[in-house]
């Protein structure tokens, strides 16, 4: 039953199942894999894939892929595609929003299924951040439920959130590795909810002066103590 007390529609049930996946799986990689598989089966598609824009390299790549049984994987052939060739289509999709593209409906060059996908028809939902297109979620050759665009929109939002969390974690790990390579660095991780600072490493001078106090304090208090005593 939905909030109005009516039986849930096919699409509402699929969205509910999608959210259960997200809440029940802790690892982002597994959550995204399960979501793509669910979408592929729901739409009876050949593939479900995620493309992400790399602004620094000016390219777009297929970073995640689910394939139906009997369909060959294409992810390896869809790496580092020049962004300038796809920008008009990505901009169009960002403005259009989630949609179903078929050969019969493509009356404009920029809204046809991109050739590199090799699909006759496509369902797509954009990843838009601060007005910029950062990629899209695509469903290649869907054969049923193509009118159910809300599920696709929800899946795009959830999957991009999961992917962004993974990127942030990788960036944080990279920053930690770099910091640990500096002999005089004091390295902390901070719990964003409790603001508790956990010390990975403290240089000898700081440890002698503030060791116990910093270990017991939170991030803001530690920074304030250091600024008042050693900076000002």
């Amino acid at each position: 039953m939905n909030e109005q007390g009516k039986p849930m529609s096919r699409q509402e049930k699929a969205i509910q199942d999608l959210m259960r996946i997200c809440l029940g799986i802790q690892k982002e990689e597994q959550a995204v894999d399960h979501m793509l598989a669910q979408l592929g089966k729901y739409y009876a598609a050949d593939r479900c894939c995620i493309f992400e824009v790399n602004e620094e390299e000016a390219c777009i790549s297929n970073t995640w892929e689910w394939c139906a049984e009997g369909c060959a994987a294409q992810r390896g052939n869809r790496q580092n595609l020049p962004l300038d060739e796809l920008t008009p289509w990505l901009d169009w999709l960002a403005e259009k929003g989630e949609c179903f593209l078929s050969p019969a409906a493509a009356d404009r060059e920029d809204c046809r299924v991109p050739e590199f996908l090799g699909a006759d028809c496509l369902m797509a939902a954009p990843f838009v951040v601060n007005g910029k297109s950062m990629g899209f979620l695509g469903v290649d050759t869907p054969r049923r439920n193509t009118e159910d665009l809300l599920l696709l929109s929800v899946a795009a939002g959830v999957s991009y959130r999961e992917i962004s969390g993974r990127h942030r974690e990788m960036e944080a790990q990279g920053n930690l590795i770099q910091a640990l390579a500096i002999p005089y660095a004091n390295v902390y991780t901070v719990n964003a909810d409790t603001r508790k600072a956990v010390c990975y490493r403290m240089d000898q001078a700081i440890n002698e002066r503030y060791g116990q106090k910093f270990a017991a304090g939170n991030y803001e208090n530690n920074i304030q103590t250091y600024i008042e005593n050693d900076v000002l």
Side-chain angles (χ1 to χ4, degrees):
M1 293 287 186
N2 57 23
E3 292 181 356
Q4 287 73 39
K6 299 179 181 178
M8 294 180 67
S9 69
R10 171 190 62 205
Q11 182 172 214
E12 287 175 330
K13 186 177 184 304
I15 292 172
Q16 187 179 72
D17 292 342
L18 186 78
M19 300 313 296
R20 284 202 185 103
I21 289 174
C22 299
L23 294 173
I25 298 178
Q26 297 298 319
K27 292 185 177 181
E28 293 88 350
E29 295 91 340
Q30 293 178 4
V32 174
D33 286 340
H34 278 74
M35 282 190 290
L36 293 182
Q38 181 184 350
L39 287 178
K41 294 171 184 176
Y42 183 84
Y43 292 117
D46 286 353
R47 296 178 193 83
C48 286
C49 43
I50 288 174
F51 285 81
E52 293 183 76
V53 168
N54 184 328
E55 292 184 294
E56 292 183 2
E57 301 293 334
C59 64
I60 185 170
S61 296
N62 185 177
T63 52
W64 302 79
E65 181 183 50
W66 170 90
C67 297
E69 186 175 355
C71 291
Q74 296 294 326
R75 178 178 171 182
N77 302 322
R78 299 169 170 180
Q79 300 299 310
N80 303 317
L81 304 172
L83 190 57
D84 56 353
E85 298 179 10
L86 292 170
T87 295
W89 185 81
L90 291 171
D91 290 344
W92 173 84
L93 181 64
E95 182 177 351
K96 173 73 173 176
E98 62 277 1
C99 58
F100 171 54
L101 303 176
S102 67
D107 56 356
R108 284 173 45 194
E109 184 69 27
D110 57 359
C111 65
R112 294 174 187 167
V113 178
E115 291 185 7
F116 74 88
L117 289 174
D120 293 330
C121 55
L122 173 76
M123 297 181 73
F127 301 144
V128 181
V129 180
N130 297 325
K132 296 175 63 176
S133 176
M134 300 305 296
F136 67 96
L137 168 61
V139 180
D140 290 9
T141 318
R143 297 176 178 84
R144 69 179 178 221
N145 302 330
T146 54
E147 70 279 7
D148 291 350
L149 294 174
L150 179 59
L151 172 63
L152 186 67
S153 177
V154 171
V158 171
S159 60
Y160 192 74
R161 184 196 67 188
E162 297 289 340
I163 292 168
S164 297
R166 178 170 177 260
H167 289 333
R168 286 193 297 270
E169 181 179 347
M170 292 174 65
E171 182 179 358
Q173 290 174 348
N175 291 339
L176 177 59
I177 291 171
Q178 290 180 359
L180 289 172
I182 303 173
Y184 52 82
N186 301 292
V187 182
Y188 294 85
T189 58
V190 180
N191 184 309
D193 295 322
T194 66
R195 308 307 295 167
K196 179 69 175 179
V198 177
C199 182
Y200 267 83
R201 188 182 67 197
M202 188 180 295
D203 94 316
Q204 184 176 353
I206 293 295
N207 186 35
E208 290 175 355
R209 187 165 184 177
Y210 299 114
Q212 293 300 316
K213 187 172 183 178
F214 275 17
N218 63 30
Y219 175 71
E220 284 82 0
N221 290 344
N222 290 356
I223 290 296
Q224 187 64 32
T225 298
Y226 177 73
I227 291 174
E228 290 175 352
N229 290 276
D230 292 88
V231 178
L232 299 179

